[in-house]
Amino acid sequence: MGEPTTVREATIALLRHHRMTTIFGNPGSTELPMFRDLPDDFRYVLGLQESVVVSMADGYAQATRRAAVVNLHSAIGVGHAMGSIFTAYRNRTPLVVTAGQQARELLAGEPYLFSEDPAALPRPYVKWSREPARAEDVPGAIARAYHVAMSPPRGPVLVSIPVDDWDRPAEHVPPRRVSQVVRAAEAEVAELGAALAGARRPAFVVGALVDQELAFADTVRLAEMHQARVWAAPMSSRCSFPESHPLFAGFLPPARSGLRDCLDGCDLVVVLGAPVFTYRLPGEGRYLPDGARLWQLTDDPQQAAWTPVGTSLVTSIAPAVAELLAYPPASPRPAPPRRARPAPVRAGGAITVELLMQTLHRLRPPGSIIVEEAPSSRPVMCEYLPNDAPESFFTCASGGLGLGLPSAVGMLLGRPDRRVIAVIGDGSMMYGIQALWSAARIDNAPMTVVVVNNGGYATVRHFAQLLGMDKPVGADLPGLDFSGLARAQGCRGARVSGADDLPAMLGEALASEVPYVLDVVVA
């Protein structure tokens, strides 16, 4: 048994042991006792709305590669945060979410500010949730939550804690370690290695897990050894292969027929750390070209179970890719044809999205991180703003808006040594604009926000055209002053609409040591 203490002291010791000393929150009355006499080695990051709080924690956890702590206010705070919790679940971001609950003695009735079923509220978009039966069980529940969040596949968890638990007696939780690596059987990896060695024209499809597991460099070596074309998985949220590399073939579309056409001619498709496949548009027919076999490597047994074709190995990606390097091709293969690159854009009077991305690529500081949430501009970004390094690009895996700007703030807190560049659509900006207030209160904050301002929800306009709608409702966003909103919250802000002015103003924004919002009006 551990040494007697309080729930709060045992929890603080546990969080310190796991290096979770940065807490993201928006406090309410049912959470305040958690923070009584908060130790000096802990940092509380205040967000002005719960969805922003969770998204900041998401960016921080991805940047630091360890679980982040989020504190939310009872049912209403969890409700505000659900969109961001959903995105964290799709991002596979490890978050330990604590939510306040009313005092235990009041829970026999329906008191003010209580959560009626706190464990059920965030499901199915948390890996595990619980309100401990007794106050003394709270530290153990948080310990379990941490290990569940960090175990593959990673994701958010939630513990609901009554307000009067924090000062109750408890015992320290003994430190323990849980392995976070899943390994496929050696014979299974050997079978895939033999298939790769004997393939005529193999192809790799890489997903976010390659970057998350730091398997980027070994994946490049594996592709080069086999002279295999490499595709980014549909809707992948991270860069898992250098996009300027001769073997990089491009980004698979989220539609069955187009994806099948891209892989035509391959006899072996190896999917690393991605679903098979993420679709956005309905389709019919085969999943793969004729004659192609598929192998999938994933650490998610549920994902492996719904994969419709081929063989799935449930394994962590990094050790499996390292093992596959022991199986070179049976005979040398010729290099596949290189991907065609777009012609350079010539500057005109107005700023196009192509010109903006090309200019950002040219001026981007070495080692910088791109956080993107400009859905309608993403295809152009893929062509004109290639990412070539691990942990250099992050976007939303859920398809929902609201992650980008606050996630960039969390990324900055986690990696203050790198320039963070948030490329955010004008519609997306308004989902998390409060994050600028938090950014302005960070010392030494090299963060640049580039607003792609096309005056509305361009993706909605695009889908309206596909549906034959001439006048889509709710697609226009006139009258938003992003530079003014930035200055009002303590950041720098400017607006640019002419192509001749873009390089100088973008360069100034990229050199700023305080958060700088550049509102770019695009044609």
Side-chain angles (χ1 to χ4, degrees), residues 275-276 296 298-314:
V276 179
Q296 177 194 35
T298 176
D299 67 358
D300 187 346
Q302 295 294 329
Q303 190 180 93
W306 61 258
T307 294
V309 292
T311 301
S312 296
L313 302 187
V314 179

Side-chain angles (χ1 to χ4, degrees), residues 35-36 39 122 131 136 165 188 248 285 313 323 355 366 381 458 490:
F35 303 109
R36 180 181 288 123
E131 182 173 277
E136 56 263 43
D165 281 5
E188 293 176 324
F248 185 68
L313 302 187
E323 290 176 37
L355 179 65
M381 176 184 288

Side-chain angles (χ1 to χ4, degrees), residues 425-436:
D426 51 346
S428 299
M429 276 290 287
M430 296 308 298
Y431 280 73
I433 196 73
Q434 304 96 323
L436 291 176

Side-chain angles (χ1 to χ4, degrees), residues 199-424:
R200 176 181 55 82
R201 188 182 172 192
F204 292 103
V205 177
V206 295
L209 199 56
V210 170
D211 193 41
Q212 289 174 339
E213 289 197 18
L214 306 181
F216 189 101
D218 276 352
T219 299
V220 173
R221 283 192 282 271
L222 186 66
E224 290 175 344
M225 184 172 75
H226 288 282
Q227 286 296 298
R229 301 192 82 186
V230 180
W231 294 88
M235 315 304 290
S236 183
S237 60
R238 296 175 71 152
C239 169
S240 295
F241 197 85
E243 294 165 14
S244 298
H245 194 285
L247 292 175
F248 185 68
F251 302 83
L252 288 179
R256 193 183 300 187
S257 60
L259 187 151
R260 189 172 59 237
D261 292 343
C262 289
L263 297 174
D264 189 39
C266 299
D267 60 335
L268 178 65
V269 178
V270 181
V271 180
L272 303 175
V276 179
F277 290 101
T278 299
Y279 298 120
R280 187 175 183 180
L281 300 172
E284 298 178 346
R286 305 179 311 279
Y287 292 95
L288 296 170
D290 286 338
R293 296 174 296 160
L294 182 139
W295 285 72
Q296 177 194 35
L297 276 62
T298 176
D299 67 358
D300 187 346
Q302 295 294 329
Q303 190 180 93
W306 61 258
T307 294
V309 292
T311 301
S312 296
L313 302 187
V314 179
T315 179
S316 296
I317 302 304
V321 171
E323 290 176 37
L324 288 173
L325 289 169
Y327 298 90
S331 58
R333 299 188 182 108
R338 296 190 62 158
R339 176 189 180 210
R341 302 298 303 173
V345 180
R346 303 178 75 96
I351 301 172
T352 62
V353 177
E354 290 81 358
L355 179 65
L356 171 59
M357 298 304 170
Q358 177 180 279
T359 307
L360 181 55
H361 175 59
R362 178 169 60 85
L363 299 180
R364 177 182 181 179
S368 56
I369 296 171
I370 297 280
V371 180
E372 177 266 328
E373 191 172 279
S376 64
S377 302
R378 180 71 190 279
V380 177
M381 176 184 288
C382 290
E383 295 295 324
Y384 289 92
L385 182 57
N387 294 280
D388 291 321
E391 297 182 295
S392 63
F393 175 81
F394 300 84
T395 191
C396 168
S398 71
L401 301 182
L403 174 79
L405 180 59
S407 177
V409 177
M411 196 77 61
L412 177 65
L413 287 165
R415 293 302 304 268
D417 57 318
R418 297 174 68 176
R419 164 74 53 179
V420 174
I421 306 168
V423 181
I424 313 292

